[in-house]
Amino acid sequence: MSVKKKMIIVTVIAVLVVAFFAGAFLATQKSADYYTQIDNDFVTEIPPHGAMNYRYTLSAYDETGGEKELSFETSRILTDDAYLCLKVAPFRGVITWAEVQFDEMPVTVQEKYCENL
């Protein structure tokens, strides 16, 4: 076997090993819950792709009260002032969201929204 073929085989094996370990790492990363309140002043219309027509960029809080600005896309304008739980995955960002009631959020998050009244 020529040296060139051996190099190609070693390169392919190395790429497969790296891909395997990257996949294993990403599979072990858990999503985190963040909570936000819809403010339709912060929605922008985007060129449609799939069913997504709108992008929200809002401040959100984790269960400890840590703040983070997050963006997510929707197919419709959401109810102003509604509370959402955002599932946020490492590297991928917001992967799902669901409306929640104020009393369903962690107390530390509820306190953040009470401060802003």
Side-chain angles (χ1 to χ4, degrees):
M1 190 180 317
S2 72
V3 173
K4 188 175 182 178
K5 285 184 182 180
K6 287 181 184 179
M7 292 289 287
I8 290 172
I9 291 171
V10 168
T11 302
V12 168
I13 290 172
V15 167
L16 290 174
V17 167
V18 168
F20 172 78
F21 282 108
F25 172 76
L26 291 175
T28 62
Q29 300 301 302
K30 298 204 182 235
S31 62
D33 290 342
Y34 280 81
Y35 299 87
T36 192
Q37 185 174 26
I38 295 299
D39 182 344
N40 284 323
D41 290 338
F42 296 96
V43 63
T44 55
E45 192 166 353
I46 59 172
H49 59 93
M52 302 304 174
N53 299 319
Y54 302 96
R55 177 178 292 126
Y56 283 87
T57 301
L58 301 167
S59 293
Y61 301 96
D62 64 14
E63 62 185 21
T64 65
E67 186 175 6
K68 185 176 196 177
E69 188 173 275
L70 295 171
S71 293
F72 61 97
E73 297 175 356
T74 67
S75 60
R76 60 186 169 83
I77 299 287
L78 302 177
T79 305
D80 212 23
D81 295 327
Y83 294 102
L84 298 182
C85 175
L86 308 172
K87 295 277 185 197
V88 181
F91 306 110
R92 292 177 40 201
V94 176
I95 52 175
T96 63
W97 57 267
E99 190 169 333
V100 295
Q101 298 302 311
F102 182 82
D103 60 353
E104 295 174 317
M105 297 188 300
V107 173
T108 53
V109 176
Q110 292 176 14
E111 291 170 352
K112 292 289 186 182
Y113 285 109
C114 288
E115 289 172 5
N116 297 331
L117 293 180

